[in-house]
Amino acid sequence: MFAATTIAEEILDLKQQRRAILLAHHYQEPEIQELADVVGDSLELARKAREFSGDVIAFCGVWFMAETAKVLNPNRIVVVPDREASCSLVESCPVEPIREFRRRNPGYTIVSYINTSIQVKAESDILCTSRNAVKIVNSIPPEKPVLFLPDRNLGNYVRRQTGRQNMKIWQGTCIVHATFPARRVAEAMLEHPGAKVVAHPECPESVLSMADFIGSTSAIIEWCAAQEASEFIVMTESGVNYSLARVAPGKRFHFVANENCNCSECPYMKLNTLEKLRDSLTNLEPRVELSQEIMRRALVPLERMLAVK
């Protein structure tokens, strides 16, 4: 047998040996996306996680995404290249205050963004992603009060889109999207006067108000590919540039730096590397291990989300 000579070849060999599927978020490095069986946003990857025959899911994203995949695949091994690949939204929303809110407010419907821990999901009534959040909230009877968590910018966007007033919003934010300054968008618009502006709903309202299109990562990709315009200012994590260039190779995409790092990268997403992916397939670690009880409880709001068309 021909010996693997590169890390990518080693990964492909291990994938075959392990009967594994590689799932990657759009924010992953290009070399990881190139090896993935599926590249998508949180909703797409949640659906794809259970649509294959195999033994191992290697989830190249962040930990909460792999937890979701494990809930949908309790009998499969789920690994992530780096255990420290967390999320600022997850960290902004510990479970105990949510449990206390439910005890004090039993009449509320708790809608949790998929960017939450498995413990918070288990306390929720229904989940959502940025792609379907408006549809999910609209599916709840209008007289029912809602707690939306944890992203305040997405929550405020959903409230504006639905007109729902009986909706409390948790005050978490994404360290990438929440720190895009409107002044830099305005500067980019002056520099590229013919460009369309697209933005993820985790961005502040001041940024969203300048956008020609607002949507999830995959929705942004689809919209840009379908437009006649050839130039875009993109207000989301810059890893999406690989997918944009693949589906719209003749178009130009400009990314605006945020205030945190003078870039537009998620430090958690970028923890995953080819070397770590190879090692995770070799050792089947770091592995997502969840109790049957927490998976049973988290599956209920997850299935409710997936049932909303």
Side-chain angles (χ1 to χ4, degrees):
M1 180 179 174
F2 182 75
T5 57
T6 68
I7 294 175
E9 289 172 327
E10 289 182 63
I11 290 168
L12 293 175
D13 285 347
L14 284 163
K15 176 190 162 188
Q16 187 173 17
Q17 294 168 25
R18 295 296 194 188
R19 297 185 69 243
I21 187 173
L22 305 184
L23 304 179
H25 195 275
H26 289 293
Y27 298 165
Q28 292 294 285
E29 296 285 10
E31 57 265 26
I32 290 179
Q33 293 191 45
E34 287 176 5
L35 295 178
D37 296 288
V38 180
V39 178
D41 61 17
S42 298
L43 179 58
E44 291 168 326
L45 296 176
R47 293 186 186 282
K48 291 293 183 182
R50 56 181 176 182
E51 295 178 4
F52 84 106
S53 57
D55 301 325
V56 176
I57 297 171
F59 210 116
C60 299
V62 291
W63 192 258
F64 78 80
M65 297 177 181
E67 288 179 329
T68 304
K70 181 64 177 178
V71 170
L72 292 170
N73 297 269
N75 298 319
R76 290 189 171 109
I77 294 169
V78 180
V79 297
V80 178
D82 194 314
R83 178 62 183 89
E84 299 305 310
S86 182
C87 172
S88 59
L89 285 167
V90 172
E91 294 171 2
S92 74
C93 189
V95 68
E96 199 48 54
I98 308 307
R99 290 176 179 147
E100 179 63 21
F101 182 91
R102 184 175 283 289
R103 285 193 289 267
R104 293 175 177 270
N105 303 275
Y108 271 74
T109 297
I110 298 180
V111 179
S112 290
Y113 193 21
I114 204 161
N115 298 47
T116 48
S117 70
I118 200 67
Q119 290 78 18
V120 169
K121 288 181 175 70
E123 299 296 328
S124 306
D125 294 296
I126 191 168
L127 306 184
C128 72
T129 69
S130 56
R131 192 179 183 103
N132 65 11
V134 171
K135 187 177 292 186
I136 293 295
V137 171
N138 275 333
S139 74
I140 299 166
E143 68 276 7
K144 290 279 291 185
V146 168
L147 171 65
F148 186 95
L149 53 91
D151 189 278
R152 71 175 180 227
N153 290 326
L154 177 60
N156 284 323
Y157 171 75
V158 170
R159 182 156 58 189
R160 291 193 298 273
Q161 292 297 303
T162 62
R164 195 166 196 121
Q165 297 305 308
N166 56 345
M167 181 170 153
K168 292 183 181 291
I169 299 171
W170 197 261
Q171 293 300 296
T173 57
C174 167
I175 58 173
V176 177
H177 293 98
T179 54
F180 284 129
R183 61 179 175 79
R184 289 189 176 173
V185 184
E187 290 167 1
M189 292 172 70
L190 288 173
E191 187 175 352
H192 310 285
K196 298 289 188 181
V197 178
V198 296
H200 193 284
E202 289 176 18
C203 294
E205 184 179 359
S206 58
V207 170
L208 298 182
S209 67
M210 306 167 86
D212 297 290
F213 178 78
I214 299 167
S216 71
T217 307
S218 286
I220 285 173
I221 294 167
E222 293 164 8
W223 192 84
C224 290
Q227 297 305 299
E228 292 184 2
S230 61
E231 202 167 2
F232 301 85
I233 297 164
V234 184
M235 306 306 301
T236 191
E237 213 271 359
S238 57
V240 74
N241 188 52
Y242 181 78
S243 294
L244 285 167
R246 188 174 64 244
V247 301
K251 299 183 179 184
R252 297 178 64 196
F253 301 98
H254 308 286
F255 290 84
V256 174
N258 62 31
E259 297 283 22
N260 278 350
C261 64
N262 204 34
C263 67
S264 52
E265 291 188 348
C266 172
Y268 297 111
M269 286 282 187
K270 297 305 189 275
L271 287 174
N272 296 319
T273 64
L274 285 183
E275 291 83 358
K276 292 174 184 177
L277 174 56
R278 175 198 59 197
D279 294 345
S280 69
L281 284 169
T282 300
N283 304 316
L284 297 181
E285 296 287 348
R287 188 182 305 196
V288 178
E289 301 279 12
L290 302 172
S291 71
Q292 291 296 319
E293 174 64 12
I294 200 77
M295 287 194 288
R296 181 190 65 78
R297 293 179 59 212
L299 182 61
V300 174
L302 180 54
E303 291 281 19
R304 286 174 180 158
M305 177 189 77
L306 294 175
V308 174
K309 303 300 184 182

